[in-house]
Amino acid sequence: MNPVSPRTLLVRGMLAGLLAGAVAFLVAYLLGEAKVDAAIAIEEAGQAAASAHEHAADAAAAHSHGEEAPVSRALQATAGLGTGVLLYGVALGGIAALVYCYALGRIGRFGPRATAALVTTGLFVTVTLVPFFKYPANPPAVGDPDTAARRTALYLLMIALSALLAAGALILGRRLAPKLGNWNASVVAGLGFVLLVGISYAVLPGINEVPADFPAALIWEFRLASLAIQTALWTTFGLAFGFLAERALVPSAAPKEALQPAS
């Protein structure tokens, strides 16, 4: 393989992340926005009912939506959502490319595409699946605004713990490989990762702020849509970055010149 600077892979990772963000935006618009609209409708209905119960219609109007929102819901669901998801994809693509630079040649004799697949899968499990199963995404109207900072901190803490445990599992697997073999070492390291993640789940506090009257089906549909968005993002990135990385790392075959026999 050609020696390639990390900058080259970083740029290609960000380009792959941009493409992945575009695909994720399409999935989010098709699967997620309807769930968000439904949750917002439930939230607004609850606010209207509470305002009517207080017998202060004028004050309630000023309290809930007395001023028109500076950004319309239609703009939020299109340009706002698209901008956010694209920036998110580019950022994750750059981070994943840096991880790829470190992992290339250090996790086994894998080619550029196989390494990209392994790195992408590992990051998907670490930064998406593990935090999701402890602190799944919730639609609007679910969650106390006063605890938003605490919930965000716990979610980020879960991501950090997952990343540290994954790095520890990787180191453990490499150290055990000479004694146990690659397969057995990988199994032991993976089981250790799962065990420690389970302990983290048990130690960290849970969050249950779902209103009793909120439709359970809507919550799970929203969570499944969120997971589908992340799956589309990481899958697209892994395929695109694997292709771009291979183009950069593996030299293309030189064209063969046809040799004409001497007459």
Side-chain angles (χ1 to χ4, degrees):
M1 290 188 293
N2 287 333
V4 175
S5 67
R7 180 179 179 275
T8 300
L9 293 175
L10 176 63
V11 171
R12 297 190 178 218
M14 295 174 71
L15 289 175
L18 182 64
L19 175 61
V23 174
F25 164 69
L26 181 62
V27 175
Y29 185 79
L30 294 177
L31 297 183
E33 284 306 304
K35 312 300 184 299
V36 174
D37 289 338
I40 290 176
I42 293 174
E43 182 181 25
E44 291 178 346
Q47 290 177 349
S51 299
H53 183 70
E54 293 174 359
H55 303 286
D58 295 337
H63 172 70
S64 59
H65 297 288
E67 296 182 359
E68 187 177 351
V71 180
S72 66
R73 173 68 189 129
L75 187 61
Q76 292 176 359
T78 53
L81 175 64
T83 301
V85 174
L86 288 177
L87 292 176
Y88 179 73
V90 171
L92 285 185
I95 295 172
L98 295 177
V99 176
Y100 179 87
C101 292
Y102 175 80
L104 188 63
R106 291 186 172 92
I107 59 175
R109 296 181 179 180
F110 298 103
R113 290 200 184 194
T115 302
L118 291 172
V119 169
T120 302
T121 302
L123 290 174
F124 174 66
V125 172
T126 301
V127 306
T128 299
L129 286 186
V130 171
F132 176 85
F133 288 124
K134 177 62 178 178
Y135 301 116
N138 285 323
V142 174
D144 184 357
D146 295 335
T147 64
R150 177 175 176 269
R151 286 184 279 120
T152 301
L154 288 173
Y155 182 79
L156 294 177
L157 177 59
M158 191 68 250
I159 293 178
L161 283 175
S162 178
L164 290 175
L165 293 177
L170 182 61
I171 294 173
L172 177 63
R174 292 184 61 185
R175 291 187 176 181
L176 293 178
K179 297 180 180 179
L180 303 179
N182 291 332
W183 175 257
N184 291 332
S186 299
V187 171
V188 171
L191 291 176
F193 174 75
V194 172
L195 175 62
L196 292 178
V197 167
I199 294 175
S200 300
Y201 281 3
V203 171
L204 291 177
I207 297 176
N208 184 14
E209 298 180 350
V210 179
D213 58 345
F214 197 90
L218 179 58
I219 292 178
W220 284 109
E221 288 173 358
F222 180 86
R223 291 174 178 177
L224 289 177
S226 301
L227 190 58
I229 294 168
Q230 291 290 338
T231 302
L233 176 75
W234 285 108
T235 300
T236 304
F237 172 78
L239 295 174
F241 183 66
F243 172 77
L244 294 175
E246 187 175 57
R247 291 287 298 271
L249 293 168
V250 179
S252 58
K256 297 180 180 179
E257 298 180 358
L259 300 178
Q260 299 293 336
S263 57

Short mmCIF file of all heavy atoms in Angstrom, two decimals, residues 23-68:
data_model
loop_
_atom_site.label_atom_id
_atom_site.label_comp_id
_atom_site.label_asym_id
_atom_site.label_seq_id
_atom_site.Cartn_x
_atom_site.Cartn_y
_atom_site.Cartn_z
N VAL A 23 -27.55 10.82 3.29
CA VAL A 23 -28.41 9.64 3.36
C VAL A 23 -29.18 9.63 4.69
O VAL A 23 -30.38 9.32 4.73
CB VAL A 23 -27.57 8.36 3.20
CG1 VAL A 23 -28.43 7.12 3.42
CG2 VAL A 23 -26.93 8.32 1.82
N ALA A 24 -28.50 9.97 5.78
CA ALA A 24 -29.16 9.99 7.09
C ALA A 24 -30.27 11.04 7.12
O ALA A 24 -31.33 10.83 7.73
CB ALA A 24 -28.14 10.26 8.18
N PHE A 25 -30.04 12.18 6.46
CA PHE A 25 -31.09 13.21 6.40
C PHE A 25 -32.32 12.69 5.67
O PHE A 25 -33.46 12.92 6.10
CB PHE A 25 -30.56 14.45 5.69
CG PHE A 25 -31.64 15.40 5.25
CD1 PHE A 25 -32.38 16.11 6.18
CD2 PHE A 25 -31.92 15.57 3.90
CE1 PHE A 25 -33.40 16.97 5.78
CE2 PHE A 25 -32.93 16.43 3.50
CZ PHE A 25 -33.67 17.13 4.44
N LEU A 26 -32.11 11.97 4.58
CA LEU A 26 -33.24 11.41 3.84
C LEU A 26 -34.03 10.43 4.71
O LEU A 26 -35.27 10.47 4.74
CB LEU A 26 -32.73 10.72 2.57
CG LEU A 26 -33.79 10.09 1.66
CD1 LEU A 26 -34.74 11.16 1.14
CD2 LEU A 26 -33.13 9.36 0.50
N VAL A 27 -33.30 9.58 5.43
CA VAL A 27 -33.97 8.62 6.31
C VAL A 27 -34.71 9.35 7.43
O VAL A 27 -35.84 9.00 7.80
CB VAL A 27 -32.96 7.61 6.88
CG1 VAL A 27 -33.63 6.67 7.88
CG2 VAL A 27 -32.33 6.80 5.75
N ALA A 28 -34.06 10.37 8.00
CA ALA A 28 -34.68 11.12 9.09
C ALA A 28 -35.94 11.83 8.62
O ALA A 28 -36.95 11.87 9.33
CB ALA A 28 -33.68 12.14 9.64
N TYR A 29 -35.89 12.39 7.41
CA TYR A 29 -37.06 13.10 6.90
C TYR A 29 -38.22 12.15 6.63
O TYR A 29 -39.38 12.46 6.91
CB TYR A 29 -36.69 13.85 5.63
CG TYR A 29 -37.80 14.73 5.10
CD1 TYR A 29 -38.06 15.97 5.68
CD2 TYR A 29 -38.58 14.32 4.04
CE1 TYR A 29 -39.09 16.77 5.21
CE2 TYR A 29 -39.61 15.11 3.56
CZ TYR A 29 -39.86 16.34 4.14
OH TYR A 29 -40.88 17.12 3.68
N LEU A 30 -37.90 10.97 6.10
CA LEU A 30 -38.95 10.02 5.73
C LEU A 30 -39.51 9.27 6.94
O LEU A 30 -40.71 8.99 7.00
CB LEU A 30 -38.41 9.03 4.71
CG LEU A 30 -38.04 9.60 3.33
CD1 LEU A 30 -37.44 8.52 2.45
CD2 LEU A 30 -39.24 10.25 2.66
N LEU A 31 -38.64 8.93 7.90
CA LEU A 31 -39.07 8.10 9.02
C LEU A 31 -39.31 8.87 10.31
O LEU A 31 -40.18 8.49 11.10
CB LEU A 31 -38.03 7.00 9.28
CG LEU A 31 -37.78 5.98 8.17
CD1 LEU A 31 -36.77 4.94 8.64
CD2 LEU A 31 -39.08 5.31 7.75
N GLY A 32 -38.53 9.91 10.55
CA GLY A 32 -38.55 10.54 11.85
C GLY A 32 -39.46 11.75 12.00
O GLY A 32 -40.02 11.98 13.07
N GLU A 33 -39.63 12.53 10.92
CA GLU A 33 -40.35 13.79 11.06
C GLU A 33 -41.82 13.60 11.40
O GLU A 33 -42.41 14.40 12.13
CB GLU A 33 -40.19 14.62 9.78
CG GLU A 33 -38.83 15.27 9.65
CD GLU A 33 -38.47 16.08 10.86
OE1 GLU A 33 -39.24 16.99 11.24
OE2 GLU A 33 -37.41 15.82 11.46
N ALA A 34 -42.44 12.56 10.87
CA ALA A 34 -43.83 12.31 11.21
C ALA A 34 -43.99 12.02 12.70
O ALA A 34 -44.97 12.44 13.34
CB ALA A 34 -44.37 11.14 10.38
N LYS A 35 -43.02 11.31 13.28
CA LYS A 35 -43.08 11.01 14.71
C LYS A 35 -42.88 12.28 15.54
O LYS A 35 -43.52 12.47 16.57
CB LYS A 35 -42.00 9.97 15.07
CG LYS A 35 -41.95 8.76 14.15
CD LYS A 35 -43.22 7.99 14.15
CE LYS A 35 -43.13 6.72 13.30
NZ LYS A 35 -42.84 6.97 11.88
N VAL A 36 -41.99 13.16 15.08
CA VAL A 36 -41.77 14.42 15.78
C VAL A 36 -43.02 15.28 15.74
O VAL A 36 -43.42 15.87 16.75
CB VAL A 36 -40.57 15.17 15.16
CG1 VAL A 36 -40.42 16.56 15.78
CG2 VAL A 36 -39.29 14.38 15.36
N ASP A 37 -43.66 15.36 14.57
CA ASP A 37 -44.89 16.14 14.45
C ASP A 37 -45.98 15.61 15.38
O ASP A 37 -46.72 16.38 16.01
CB ASP A 37 -45.39 16.12 13.00
CG ASP A 37 -44.49 16.95 12.08
OD1 ASP A 37 -43.79 17.83 12.59
OD2 ASP A 37 -44.50 16.69 10.87
N ALA A 38 -46.09 14.28 15.45
CA ALA A 38 -47.09 13.68 16.33
C ALA A 38 -46.82 14.01 17.79
O ALA A 38 -47.73 14.31 18.56
CB ALA A 38 -47.15 12.17 16.12
N ALA A 39 -45.54 13.96 18.18
CA ALA A 39 -45.19 14.27 19.57
C ALA A 39 -45.42 15.75 19.88
O ALA A 39 -45.89 16.10 20.97
CB ALA A 39 -43.72 13.90 19.81
N ILE A 40 -45.12 16.63 18.93
CA ILE A 40 -45.37 18.05 19.14
C ILE A 40 -46.86 18.33 19.29
O ILE A 40 -47.29 19.14 20.12
CB ILE A 40 -44.77 18.87 17.98
CG1 ILE A 40 -43.24 18.82 18.05
CG2 ILE A 40 -45.25 20.32 18.02
CD1 ILE A 40 -42.55 19.50 16.89
N ALA A 41 -47.66 17.64 18.49
CA ALA A 41 -49.11 17.80 18.60
C ALA A 41 -49.61 17.39 19.98
O ALA A 41 -50.47 18.06 20.57
CB ALA A 41 -49.82 16.99 17.52
N ILE A 42 -49.07 16.31 20.52
CA ILE A 42 -49.45 15.86 21.86
C ILE A 42 -49.02 16.90 22.90
O ILE A 42 -49.78 17.22 23.83
CB ILE A 42 -48.83 14.49 22.16
CG1 ILE A 42 -49.45 13.42 21.24
CG2 ILE A 42 -49.03 14.11 23.62
CD1 ILE A 42 -48.80 12.07 21.37
N GLU A 43 -47.82 17.44 22.73
CA GLU A 43 -47.32 18.44 23.68
C GLU A 43 -48.19 19.69 23.65
O GLU A 43 -48.56 20.24 24.70
CB GLU A 43 -45.88 18.79 23.33
CG GLU A 43 -45.26 19.79 24.30
CD GLU A 43 -43.83 20.13 23.91
OE1 GLU A 43 -43.48 20.00 22.72
OE2 GLU A 43 -43.06 20.53 24.80
N GLU A 44 -48.53 20.16 22.46
CA GLU A 44 -49.36 21.36 22.35
C GLU A 44 -50.76 21.13 22.89
O GLU A 44 -51.34 22.02 23.52
CB GLU A 44 -49.41 21.81 20.89
CG GLU A 44 -48.07 22.33 20.38
CD GLU A 44 -48.13 22.71 18.92
OE1 GLU A 44 -49.11 22.31 18.24
OE2 GLU A 44 -47.20 23.39 18.44
N ALA A 45 -51.30 19.93 22.66
CA ALA A 45 -52.61 19.62 23.21
C ALA A 45 -52.59 19.63 24.73
O ALA A 45 -53.53 20.12 25.39
CB ALA A 45 -53.10 18.28 22.69
N GLY A 46 -51.54 19.09 25.31
CA GLY A 46 -51.42 19.09 26.76
C GLY A 46 -51.29 20.49 27.32
O GLY A 46 -51.87 20.83 28.36
N GLN A 47 -50.52 21.36 26.63
CA GLN A 47 -50.38 22.73 27.08
C GLN A 47 -51.71 23.48 26.99
O GLN A 47 -52.06 24.26 27.89
CB GLN A 47 -49.31 23.44 26.25
CG GLN A 47 -47.91 22.95 26.52
CD GLN A 47 -46.90 23.63 25.61
OE1 GLN A 47 -47.25 24.31 24.65
NE2 GLN A 47 -45.62 23.43 25.91
N ALA A 48 -52.46 23.22 25.92
CA ALA A 48 -53.75 23.89 25.77
C ALA A 48 -54.73 23.46 26.85
O ALA A 48 -55.47 24.27 27.40
CB ALA A 48 -54.32 23.59 24.38
N ALA A 49 -54.71 22.16 27.17
CA ALA A 49 -55.60 21.67 28.21
C ALA A 49 -55.25 22.26 29.57
O ALA A 49 -56.13 22.64 30.35
CB ALA A 49 -55.55 20.15 28.27
N ALA A 50 -53.95 22.36 29.85
CA ALA A 50 -53.53 22.94 31.13
C ALA A 50 -53.89 24.41 31.21
O ALA A 50 -54.32 24.91 32.26
CB ALA A 50 -52.02 22.75 31.30
N SER A 51 -53.78 25.12 30.10
CA SER A 51 -54.12 26.54 30.10
C SER A 51 -55.62 26.75 30.31
O SER A 51 -56.03 27.65 31.06
CB SER A 51 -53.69 27.17 28.77
OG SER A 51 -52.29 27.05 28.60
N ALA A 52 -56.42 25.91 29.66
CA ALA A 52 -57.87 26.04 29.84
C ALA A 52 -58.27 25.73 31.28
O ALA A 52 -59.19 26.34 31.82
CB ALA A 52 -58.59 25.10 28.88
N HIS A 53 -57.58 24.80 31.89
CA HIS A 53 -57.90 24.44 33.27
C HIS A 53 -57.59 25.58 34.22
O HIS A 53 -58.22 25.72 35.27
CB HIS A 53 -57.13 23.19 33.66
CG HIS A 53 -57.44 22.69 35.04
ND1 HIS A 53 -58.65 22.12 35.39
CD2 HIS A 53 -56.68 22.70 36.18
CE1 HIS A 53 -58.63 21.78 36.66
NE2 HIS A 53 -57.45 22.13 37.17
N GLU A 54 -56.65 26.42 33.90
CA GLU A 54 -56.27 27.54 34.76
C GLU A 54 -57.17 28.75 34.54
O GLU A 54 -57.01 29.77 35.23
CB GLU A 54 -54.81 27.92 34.50
CG GLU A 54 -53.82 26.86 34.93
CD GLU A 54 -52.41 27.21 34.52
OE1 GLU A 54 -52.22 28.26 33.87
OE2 GLU A 54 -51.49 26.43 34.83
N HIS A 55 -58.10 28.70 33.57
CA HIS A 55 -59.05 29.77 33.31
C HIS A 55 -58.33 31.10 33.05
O HIS A 55 -58.72 32.16 33.57
CB HIS A 55 -60.02 29.97 34.49
CG HIS A 55 -60.79 28.73 34.82
ND1 HIS A 55 -61.82 28.26 34.04
CD2 HIS A 55 -60.66 27.85 35.86
CE1 HIS A 55 -62.32 27.16 34.58
NE2 HIS A 55 -61.62 26.88 35.68
N ALA A 56 -57.25 31.02 32.26
CA ALA A 56 -56.54 32.25 31.92
C ALA A 56 -56.14 32.17 30.46
O ALA A 56 -54.99 31.93 30.13
CB ALA A 56 -55.33 32.45 32.81
N ALA A 57 -57.09 32.34 29.60
CA ALA A 57 -56.85 32.13 28.18
C ALA A 57 -55.83 33.13 27.64
O ALA A 57 -54.91 32.76 26.91
CB ALA A 57 -58.16 32.25 27.39
N ASP A 58 -55.97 34.38 28.01
CA ASP A 58 -55.04 35.37 27.48
C ASP A 58 -53.63 35.15 27.99
O ASP A 58 -52.65 35.21 27.25
CB ASP A 58 -55.52 36.79 27.85
CG ASP A 58 -56.83 37.13 27.17
OD1 ASP A 58 -57.13 36.52 26.13
OD2 ASP A 58 -57.54 38.02 27.69
N ALA A 59 -53.54 34.89 29.29
CA ALA A 59 -52.21 34.65 29.86
C ALA A 59 -51.61 33.37 29.32
O ALA A 59 -50.41 33.27 29.10
CB ALA A 59 -52.31 34.58 31.39
N ALA A 60 -52.45 32.37 29.10
CA ALA A 60 -51.94 31.10 28.58
C ALA A 60 -51.42 31.27 27.18
O ALA A 60 -50.41 30.67 26.81
CB ALA A 60 -53.06 30.06 28.60
N ALA A 61 -52.09 32.10 26.38
CA ALA A 61 -51.61 32.32 25.02
C ALA A 61 -50.24 32.95 25.04
O ALA A 61 -49.35 32.60 24.27
CB ALA A 61 -52.60 33.19 24.26
N ALA A 62 -50.04 33.88 25.95
CA ALA A 62 -48.72 34.50 26.04
C ALA A 62 -47.70 33.52 26.59
O ALA A 62 -46.53 33.55 26.23
CB ALA A 62 -48.80 35.73 26.95
N HIS A 63 -48.17 32.62 27.47
CA HIS A 63 -47.24 31.67 28.10
C HIS A 63 -46.77 30.60 27.13
O HIS A 63 -45.59 30.26 27.08
CB HIS A 63 -47.93 31.01 29.29
CG HIS A 63 -47.13 29.88 29.87
ND1 HIS A 63 -45.95 30.08 30.56
CD2 HIS A 63 -47.35 28.54 29.85
CE1 HIS A 63 -45.47 28.91 30.95
NE2 HIS A 63 -46.29 27.96 30.51
N SER A 64 -47.71 30.09 26.33
CA SER A 64 -47.35 28.95 25.50
C SER A 64 -46.79 29.39 24.17
O SER A 64 -45.64 29.12 23.85
CB SER A 64 -48.58 28.05 25.28
OG SER A 64 -49.63 28.81 24.67
N HIS A 65 -47.58 30.10 23.39
CA HIS A 65 -47.11 30.49 22.07
C HIS A 65 -47.57 31.92 21.76
O HIS A 65 -48.14 32.19 20.70
CB HIS A 65 -47.64 29.53 20.99
CG HIS A 65 -47.13 28.13 21.17
ND1 HIS A 65 -45.83 27.77 20.92
CD2 HIS A 65 -47.76 27.01 21.61
CE1 HIS A 65 -45.67 26.49 21.18
NE2 HIS A 65 -46.82 26.00 21.61
N GLY A 66 -47.34 32.78 22.69
CA GLY A 66 -47.75 34.16 22.48
C GLY A 66 -46.92 34.80 21.38
O GLY A 66 -47.41 35.65 20.65
N GLU A 67 -45.67 34.46 21.25
CA GLU A 67 -44.82 34.98 20.20
C GLU A 67 -44.60 33.89 19.17
O GLU A 67 -44.32 32.75 19.51
CB GLU A 67 -43.48 35.45 20.78
CG GLU A 67 -43.62 36.60 21.76
CD GLU A 67 -42.26 37.04 22.27
OE1 GLU A 67 -41.26 36.43 21.85
OE2 GLU A 67 -42.21 37.99 23.06
N GLU A 68 -44.72 34.29 17.93
CA GLU A 68 -44.54 33.31 16.87
C GLU A 68 -43.10 32.83 16.85
O GLU A 68 -42.16 33.61 17.03
CB GLU A 68 -44.90 33.95 15.53
CG GLU A 68 -44.90 32.97 14.37
CD GLU A 68 -45.34 33.63 13.08
OE1 GLU A 68 -45.79 34.78 13.15
OE2 GLU A 68 -45.22 32.98 12.02
#
